[in-house]
Amino acid sequence: MTCDHADENCPFIPGTEQRIPLRYEDPKAFDGTGQEAEKYDERSLQIASELFYVFSKIQKK
């Protein structure tokens, strides 16, 4: 999951073994402002680093 809206509105994902919700504030509040690119980059880096951590903990069967 990449935003709080998705976690609340898309709770079922068929075919998954486990659900690990990662909630983020959507940076769209900064659309059209001087901080737009900075906030989207900031959120992208946060998502990437947290997903990297989660994936590093997954064990292959």
Side-chain angles (χ1 to χ4, degrees):
M1 303 296 172
T2 57
C3 71
D4 50 4
H5 176 78
D7 189 29
E8 294 169 3
N9 296 291
C10 304
F12 175 72
I13 302 171
T16 59
E17 291 183 23
Q18 185 173 359
R19 184 174 183 273
I20 304 170
L22 300 173
R23 295 178 64 139
Y24 305 100
E25 290 183 33
D26 195 332
K28 69 182 174 184
F30 295 94
D31 286 0
T33 71
Q35 293 181 296
E36 180 177 355
E38 174 189 352
K39 293 299 182 179
Y40 274 86
D41 287 346
E42 183 180 283
R43 191 64 64 234
S44 293
L45 289 173
Q46 178 189 10
I47 291 168
S49 64
E50 292 182 9
L51 286 176
F52 180 81
Y53 175 79
V54 168
F55 291 149
S56 74
K57 298 300 179 186
I58 296 173
Q59 297 180 3
K60 294 182 181 180
K61 293 181 179 181

